[in-house]
Amino acid sequence: MNHKLTDGGHVMQVGTLARVEGEGAMHIELRDGRVTDVRLRIYEPPRFYEAFLRGRAWTEPPDITARICGICPVAYQTSACWAIEDACGVAVPEEVRLMRRLLYCGEWIESHALHVFLLHAPDFLGYDGAIEMAADHPDVVETGLRLKKAGNDLMRVVGGRSIHPVNVRVGGFYRMPLAVELQTLRPTLVRALEDAVETVRLVAGFDVPDFEQPYEYVALRAPEGYPIEVGSVVTSSGRSFEVRDFATHVEELHVAHSNALHARLDGGDRGPYVVGPLARYTLNHDRLSPLARQAAADAGLGDTCRNPFRSIVVRAVEIVEAVSEVLRIVDGWTDGAAPSVAVPPRAGEGFGASEAPRGVLFHRYVLDADGLIRDAQIVPPTSQNQAGVEADLRRLVEGWTGLDDHALQHRCEQAIRNYDPCISCATHFLDLTVDRR
Amino acid sequence: MSRPKLAVWKFASCDGCQLTLLNCEDELIPLAGEVEIAYFPEATRAVVEGPYDLSLVEGSITTPGDLERIEQVRRASRRLVTIGACATAGGIQALRDFADVDEFRSIVYAHPEYVETLGQSTPVAAHVPVDFELRGCPIDRGQLLEVLSAEIQGRAPRIPRHSVCFECKRRGTVCVTVAHGTPCLGPVTQAGCGALCPAYERGCYGCFGPQDTPNTASIAARLRRDGMAEDEVLRVFRTFNAGAEAFRRESVRHEAGAGVGRGRKGEP
């Protein structure tokens, strides 16, 4: 909806953003070609996870926090497990870390394929949605659905189901999948790798505007490999810190127009910071597998990517990376490792982070001696990216005042989808004001 | 005959149940031929005006605005099917229903005046008539397709109301309680997941909510005998279907022993 203001200004509003996970709206005000107000308004109702986690047992956060997001439950389960294990002073064996990485790769494939093909590609090819797109580009939609299904199939084998997997526990897994079960996925995975490389080629050809942005990038970096299930924090300005120091570097601010908190790094001295595929790629490009690195080079990506409209290309490269990793882990898997280690509770504080498909997801828990949770803090990627999304919208509108309203509005929606915002994730942690009836 | 118009609505939820529709990778395109996807913001910008032949509703009612919106959705829908534990039982966010008001007050928040919310998280059926409730956290893909097929064909969906135990037997899974003494809510929980947890050597945790004749007191006694404390028994009934009546009642029964809570707010 667009309308003129009596003082000559101009307002552009989208009441319900489509093809994002959760409920959000966009509000932009212009006066004399200058943007006077930009708000990504998140009206998804808060669900108060951090409040009701208090008093729950140390064993429960993997199942409970999974329900923050149906699209990236494994991210929540993984960050929660690291944090609780940290609080209890337990280190899990290498096989558990590898199995976490395998399950997490399934989530990356499923979530990225969903976003690239069903939510984002229709913007570039000029359709309202993937179903409409399927009429003219059946092969594109079929490739996307096949890839998404490969990710879901992997999650089903390792986790029991793809949405809210049941096999994850603090300390590891309830049952270790067998090599023979993993091998049944091999034909699907080989096809998925071909599909993923083809996807990079497809999206590399999409038209994107020139829109390089200078934001500070924040991502994890692991001792080896591309960061997925674990790592410590690095930034594009050269800062680095341990996950346990995350909350001292990142400050969360509650703004009036949104039910998600905004995040600020080190007092905001470098403006908004951004997490997610662009940040991961820029800070870990050297860690990609040879096939993913080649796919990125063929797609024209350099050592860094600073145009959010090219995030779809980076997501596609990350699908190649995830499928390659899955094949590596599946082919190297031997049976016999214990599914989990005991995690006896103790009083203390623990921290955990992992790379959700949309970026760094941080958890912190304080436990008492019986293992009951005294305090919980969860910082999801979408709330960290909110300020960056708003800054993009501001620059975009000021740079393209020549576009007609319809085109401009569409481009703004696309700019929001560049970040694959997961609004259900972002809105879960505000504390409560009660309206009783 | 024109295709029936399908709408998908979201209230307080994680998106997982509507994602289940998009996870029907093999059926999605054929389904779009059988029904007109008229309103589904997660999937398309296109909006076809109501009324709708079938509305799928995900999520629980938690804000003053939701109260109005669910009425509008009902008015715009010939048939209304709720999907998932949030829409059918209030979801995990219904844990607020049991919270001690004083404890909530003691939690410090930056600007509570920015947030609008109700004191309880309630299922859709508490506010408007619902034609069918599909349970699960998340719902099962096969069951969703069965409900959609039934709605298209104008018949009753074949969704069993018996316990998870039947599914373990059918699957050939050895009973985790009998064999290993693992606490399991399978006997009081509705089937539908395919008895996933026992197949992964874990007890059922009740994410499909109570079956049609749940003997929760008997299971609670068994959990106590297997070594669970009162507060642990309370918590296993108080998760994703905490607001479902049979689970709610059983959890309240253990409040005194656990030394917490005062039942659902508003009750004497």
Side-chain angles (χ1 to χ4, degrees), chain A residues 19 63 67 132 148-149 433, chain B residues 23 26 41 44 112 137 202:
Chain A
R19 303 204 315 273
D63 286 330
R67 268 69 182 183
E132 295 89 336
K148 191 162 95 55
K149 192 178 177 196
T433 158
Chain B
N23 278 357
D26 296 334
T44 179
C137 182
R202 142 174 222 194

Side-chain angles (χ1 to χ4, degrees), chain A residues 22-99:
Chain A
E23 306 208 292
M26 173 179 82
H27 175 98
I28 296 170
E29 272 179 40
L30 288 143
R31 277 182 182 69
D32 306 323
R34 297 283 303 163
V35 175
T36 50
D37 196 17
V38 171
R39 280 176 277 163
L40 174 63
R41 196 167 76 80
I42 290 184
Y43 57 85
E44 172 96 17
R47 288 178 289 154
F48 310 112
Y49 275 84
E50 285 160 330
F52 62 63
L53 277 164
R54 293 182 185 185
R56 303 298 300 207
W58 82 107
T59 50
E60 294 186 288
D63 286 330
I64 291 181
T65 63
R67 268 69 182 183
I68 292 172
C69 180
I71 294 127
C72 58
V74 172
Y76 284 89
Q77 294 184 324
T78 306
S79 288
C81 284
W82 292 132
I84 302 278
E85 289 152 9
D86 182 40
C88 298
V90 171
V92 295
E94 177 63 7
E95 291 83 356
V96 166
R97 183 194 66 81
L98 262 184
M99 192 51 71

Side-chain angles (χ1 to χ4, degrees), chain A residues 19 22 44 49 56 63 67 70 119 128 132 148-149 152 156-157 163 166 174 413 424 432-433 435, chain B residues 10 13-16 22-23 25-26 41-42 44-45 92 104 107 109 112 115 117 137 199-200 202 238:
Chain A
R19 303 204 315 273
E44 172 96 17
Y49 275 84
R56 303 298 300 207
D63 286 330
R67 268 69 182 183
L119 309 186
D128 284 333
E132 295 89 336
K148 191 162 95 55
K149 192 178 177 196
N152 280 331
R156 260 194 293 281
V157 168
I163 302 171
V166 302
Y174 287 89
E413 287 183 46
S424 301
L432 181 58
T433 158
D435 173 358
Chain B
K10 177 182 156 59
S13 64
C14 78
D15 270 44
L22 296 178
N23 278 357
E25 287 99 357
D26 296 334
E42 184 157 321
T44 179
R45 298 174 83 216
I92 184 83
F104 267 16
I107 296 174
Y109 34 81
V115 185
T117 190
C137 182
Y200 281 80
R202 142 174 222 194
R238 206 167 272 183

